[in-house]
Amino acid sequence: MNYKPIIIVAGEPNSIFFEIFFKVIKKKIRSHIILIASEQLILKQAKVLGEKINLNLINEDDLIKKKNNLKKINLINVDFKQTKAFDEITPKSNEYISSCFKIAIKLIQNNISNKLINGPISKKTFLKNKFNGITEFLAKKTNTKDFAMIIYNKKLSVCPLTTHLPIKYVSKKINKLELIKKVVLINKFWKTKFGKKIKIGVTGLNPHCETIDSFNEDKSIIYPAIKKLKKLKYDIQGPLAGDTIFLKDNRKKFDLIIGMYHDQVLAPIKTLFEYEAINITIGLPFIRVSPDHGPNESMLGKNESNHLSLHNSIKFLDF
């Protein structure tokens, strides 16, 4: 089988990414890796962490022309000036991270690969309140209108209808069309990737799907959208109470649960699976995956971070 390379944008230079990357590449990986990062920084951090790494330096334009000559771990070097191996996260890394993403998208557009992983990124520092998350950032960069963020585990996955949004704005962003588009997109992805029709549960917005307010989003928005999707033969149930849908006997009925806001579904899924879950963006012109954790500044240089989420991210794209 011809495995396309996996493109990896290392992300925030002052994160635990290289530490977990050094651990993961010791595992069996069939696909070639194209890492986009600072060579100088990799070597500095490897020295501190007591790691040795063999990198095949490549040039993006040569790679596009030749589309071969790849070794196991290939590096496209992007300059980043930093004296220390580890430092504080500051906006000085923004241009570096942006350049890495730009190269990755260029490679994808030139059919080098359709698989992208990005390492942890400080949303507050890099996105500067312009985007809710990297999902929205990549959607903008690729002119993608319909997309979804999925936290995936083979036993159960979740998708927040609204992402990284303050609670006070959530109810204003919930509408029938958005819920319907998410379900159609998710079902298409499941059929393509896993060859099966997905079973979806949908939470309500309000506790117990009830409210003392005169307007009930669960009855007026969520239920009519689900009713329409059922008529279109989608395997979907809801709205269901958010405080019981993740109980063992309830969650086993579904492949994926759609929630109305970030923590409604991400808090339970991370409690259930911890580092065994990965973040997937669907709807882009490529499959984007990332470890489901942040830069974790408090663990820099300790060589104690869990590498499972990055390992599972690579396994998911190792085809």
Side-chain angles (χ1 to χ4, degrees):
M1 187 176 287
N2 185 21
Y3 293 88
K4 281 197 171 184
I6 299 171
I7 299 170
I8 301 181
V9 169
E12 170 55 47
N14 292 297
S15 77
I16 59 169
F17 176 77
F18 289 129
E19 173 192 325
I20 59 177
F21 180 73
F22 296 148
K23 295 173 183 175
V24 169
I25 58 173
K26 295 173 185 176
K27 311 285 186 181
K28 183 179 179 180
I29 303 170
R30 293 165 292 192
S31 305
H32 296 303
I33 300 294
I34 300 174
L35 179 64
I36 305 174
S38 164
E39 180 188 20
Q40 185 183 46
L41 192 67
I42 294 171
L43 296 177
K44 283 183 178 180
Q45 292 193 6
K47 185 176 180 180
V48 170
L49 297 168
E51 297 282 355
K52 292 183 179 180
I53 183 169
N54 294 317
L55 298 167
N56 177 40
L57 277 172
I58 57 174
N59 177 277
E60 62 195 91
D61 293 323
D62 289 341
L63 177 60
I64 290 168
K65 289 176 184 176
K66 298 177 182 177
K67 296 188 178 181
N68 55 18
N69 295 329
L70 290 175
K71 295 184 180 178
K72 182 181 178 182
I73 308 296
N74 306 273
L75 174 68
I76 295 178
N77 179 48
V78 179
D79 288 333
F80 181 69
K81 301 292 189 292
Q82 181 168 295
T83 305
K84 301 177 183 178
F86 299 99
D87 209 338
E88 293 181 355
I89 296 175
T90 68
K92 73 176 185 179
S93 65
N94 289 356
E95 186 177 345
Y96 161 76
I97 297 171
S98 183
S99 296
C100 292
F101 273 118
K102 187 176 180 180
I103 292 169
I105 291 171
K106 180 180 176 181
L107 294 179
I108 290 167
Q109 289 172 339
N110 281 274
N111 299 315
I112 299 301
S113 182
N114 61 347
K115 299 181 285 188
L116 173 67
I117 291 175
N118 67 266
I121 290 168
S122 171
K123 298 179 182 68
K124 180 180 178 181
T125 306
F126 177 64
L127 299 177
K128 297 182 290 188
N129 297 321
K130 293 181 179 178
F131 301 94
N132 289 345
I134 299 300
T135 297
E136 290 78 10
F137 169 79
L138 288 173
K140 178 70 173 179
K141 293 295 180 183
T142 56
N143 298 312
T144 302
K145 293 183 179 179
D146 297 330
F147 55 89
M149 182 181 86
I150 294 173
I151 306 302
Y152 171 82
N153 180 278
K154 62 182 179 181
K155 293 181 180 178
L156 179 70
S157 301
V158 299
C159 173
L161 190 66
T162 61
T163 59
H164 302 101
L165 198 63
I167 291 293
K168 62 183 177 180
Y169 300 129
V170 169
S171 61
K172 298 174 184 178
K173 292 293 184 179
I174 293 173
N175 62 75
K176 297 175 192 175
L177 181 60
E178 192 61 30
L179 178 53
I180 290 169
K181 287 195 297 185
K182 285 279 193 292
V183 170
V184 172
L185 193 63
I186 291 166
N187 186 69
K188 182 180 178 182
F189 177 77
W190 241 254
K191 281 187 174 180
T192 302
K193 178 68 178 174
F194 306 111
K196 62 179 285 189
K197 187 176 182 179
I198 190 171
K199 297 178 182 178
I200 297 175
V202 181
T203 71
L205 172 65
N206 301 291
H208 313 296
C209 302
E210 299 172 350
T211 179
I212 59 173
D213 201 0
S214 59
F215 183 76
N216 187 336
E217 292 87 353
D218 301 287
K219 289 183 177 179
S220 301
I221 298 174
I222 302 170
Y223 175 73
I226 292 171
K227 186 177 179 181
K228 182 174 181 178
L229 286 161
K230 282 185 174 181
K231 284 184 178 180
L232 294 171
K233 306 300 182 183
Y234 287 92
D235 192 342
I236 187 167
Q237 294 183 41
L240 302 168
D243 64 347
T244 56
I245 194 171
F246 284 94
L247 293 177
K248 186 176 180 181
D249 287 341
N250 291 337
R251 68 177 186 258
K252 69 182 182 181
K253 300 172 186 175
F254 309 112
D255 299 304
L256 180 141
I257 294 171
I258 295 178
M260 295 301 108
Y261 55 92
H262 185 278
D263 285 7
Q264 189 182 38
V265 287
L266 267 71
I269 204 76
K270 290 186 178 185
T271 302
L272 287 169
F273 301 118
E274 297 188 357
Y275 295 102
E276 294 286 353
I278 59 175
N279 188 326
I280 305 172
T281 301
I282 64 172
L284 300 171
F286 50 89
I287 304 176
R288 173 257 177 176
V289 180
S290 72
D292 194 30
H293 56 73
N296 203 356
E297 287 180 271
S298 64
M299 295 293 286
L300 292 184
K302 295 181 180 180
N303 212 11
E304 297 175 357
S305 297
N306 194 309
H307 65 281
L308 274 177
S309 193
L310 178 60
H311 185 215
N312 288 324
S313 297
I314 291 176
K315 280 172 61 179
F316 189 83
L317 295 178
D318 198 15
F319 61 87

